[in-house]
Amino acid sequence: MVDEIDRTLISLLQDDATRSYATLGQAVGLSSGAAHERVRKLRERGVIRRTTIEVDQAALGRTVTAYVLVDSDTWMGDSGAALAAIPDIEEAHVIAGQASVLLKVRTSATRELQDVLRRVFEVDGVSGTRSAVVLETFFERTLT
Amino acid sequence: MVDEIDRTLISLLQDDATRSYATLGQAVGLSSGAAHERVRKLRERGVIRRTTIEVDQAALGRTVTAYVLVDSDTWMGDSGAALAAIPDIEEAHVIAGQASVLLKVRTSATRELQDVLRRVFEVDGVSGTRSAVVLETFFERTLT
DNA sequence: ACTGAAAATTTCCGCTC
DNA sequence: GAGCGGAAATTTTCAGT
């Protein structure tokens, strides 16, 4: 499926997706054409979802990051769309454990965080939230 | 600093960083050269950190995602490096709230998650952990 | 999976506003 | 300082093998 060469290519592209196929090929001992073909297939199969840029959110005004544990009194397995409709939520996961859902939220200020919490409370089944505001981010990295 | 045109360019590149500068220029009413210059400066200033690929972690065998709340009995503000040395930790944040640090962990199985927890316990100051294993991810998206 | 040539893109330049 | 337009260098793409 995904062999050692594919993993190397993925790792190199994660680090810098602007690398040329010639460079990629050299790194794994293939021609640029062959490297390109490998990467094309990884995209086709969905292993590589997309090429994107990593943005400094703080530079765009999103200085507040918070995680929100959502408690519920009913099953929330169908609440994905309702949560996706709240723009400042970056991630939403159903979790096993004390709470039902975990959200990652990014806003420009704590005032906006409050707005997000108000809207979360309006989602069906939500009975409470516990927020943990990020004071410092040690790292957010891509696993190889 | 970052005007409306920059924001549009960033948004377009977040969606697909393989867009040509000619296309980007058209979208914002600039020549390809001017669009290129804008993006170059955004990179230079660190607003755009890097160009990367988004990978389907499950396709690479990382099927388990978990969040770990780390309790501590001392200040953990200097523990970033110790945590970064544990390879399966994707994110680590210092948080305000019940716990001290929040980790996002991705492993190939719950067995490896256990290994990560064992190593987290070896970090100075850690007095306990509470893990929330992800059952379903509603979404992980890039905010615009 | 490689080669080689055509097509497209990126990158750089002098010039203008 | 920001943008334009074109030319040069590089990369991507697509035959055929």
Side-chain angles (χ1 to χ4, degrees):
Chain A
M1 301 277 122
V2 179
D3 65 13
E4 207 42 57
I5 290 179
D6 287 333
R7 284 190 180 266
T8 305
L9 292 173
I10 288 170
S11 175
L12 289 168
L13 288 172
Q14 278 184 319
D15 182 58
D16 179 6
T18 68
R19 283 185 159 95
S20 72
Y21 289 115
T23 306
L24 291 172
Q26 271 197 308
V28 298
L30 290 176
S31 69
S32 75
H36 181 265
E37 181 67 6
R38 289 259 189 174
V39 175
R40 195 191 61 71
K41 282 181 182 164
L42 287 169
R43 287 182 201 282
E44 191 180 69
R45 289 155 51 197
V47 178
I48 295 176
R49 289 224 181 87
R50 62 173 174 167
T51 303
T52 186
I53 54 171
E54 217 177 86
V55 175
D56 179 356
Q57 294 294 337
L60 295 184
R62 289 190 190 271
T63 53
V64 176
T65 304
Y67 286 88
V68 179
L69 286 163
V70 180
D71 295 303
S72 70
D73 47 26
T74 61
W75 183 65
M76 285 195 65
D78 283 335
S79 306
L83 292 168
I86 305 176
D88 295 335
I89 301 180
E90 189 171 324
E91 301 181 18
H93 309 271
V94 180
I95 56 174
Q98 297 99 327
S100 301
V101 172
L102 179 63
L103 309 175
K104 183 178 188 178
V105 178
R106 283 195 136 106
T107 63
S108 58
T110 49
R111 179 66 179 75
E112 277 69 40
L113 176 57
Q114 244 191 106
D115 292 341
V116 172
L117 292 177
R118 176 161 13 90
R119 293 191 61 178
V120 169
F121 265 107
E122 289 166 4
V123 174
D124 279 353
V126 173
S127 62
T129 66
R130 281 169 287 164
S131 302
V133 175
V134 171
L135 301 177
E136 182 192 351
T137 292
F138 282 144
F139 57 85
E140 290 177 303
R141 63 189 178 189
T142 57
L143 299 178
T144 58
Chain B
M1 302 279 122
V2 179
D3 66 12
E4 206 43 57
I5 291 179
D6 287 333
R7 284 189 181 267
T8 305
L9 291 172
I10 288 170
S11 176
L12 289 167
L13 287 173
Q14 277 183 319
D15 182 57
D16 178 6
T18 68
R19 284 184 158 97
S20 74
Y21 289 111
T23 306
L24 291 172
Q26 271 198 308
V28 297
L30 290 177
S31 70
S32 74
H36 179 264
E37 181 66 5
R38 290 259 190 173
V39 174
R40 194 190 62 70
K41 282 181 182 165
L42 286 169
R43 286 183 202 282
E44 191 180 67
R45 288 157 51 197
V47 177
I48 295 177
R49 289 226 182 84
R50 61 172 175 170
T51 303
T52 185
I53 55 171
E54 218 178 83
V55 175
D56 179 357
Q57 293 294 339
L60 295 183
R62 289 191 191 270
T63 54
V64 175
T65 303
Y67 286 89
V68 179
L69 286 163
V70 180
D71 295 304
S72 71
D73 47 26
T74 61
W75 183 63
M76 286 193 67
D78 282 335
S79 306
L83 292 168
I86 306 176
D88 294 335
I89 301 180
E90 189 172 325
E91 301 180 18
H93 309 271
V94 179
I95 56 173
Q98 298 97 330
S100 302
V101 172
L102 178 63
L103 309 175
K104 183 177 187 177
V105 178
R106 283 197 136 106
T107 63
S108 58
T110 50
R111 177 69 177 73
E112 276 69 42
L113 176 56
Q114 245 191 105
D115 292 341
V116 172
L117 292 177
R118 176 158 14 86
R119 294 190 61 179
V120 169
F121 265 106
E122 289 166 4
V123 175
D124 279 351
V126 172
S127 61
T129 66
R130 281 168 288 164
S131 302
V133 176
V134 170
L135 301 176
E136 181 193 350
T137 291
F138 283 143
F139 56 84
E140 290 175 304
R141 64 188 175 188
T142 57
L143 298 179
T144 58

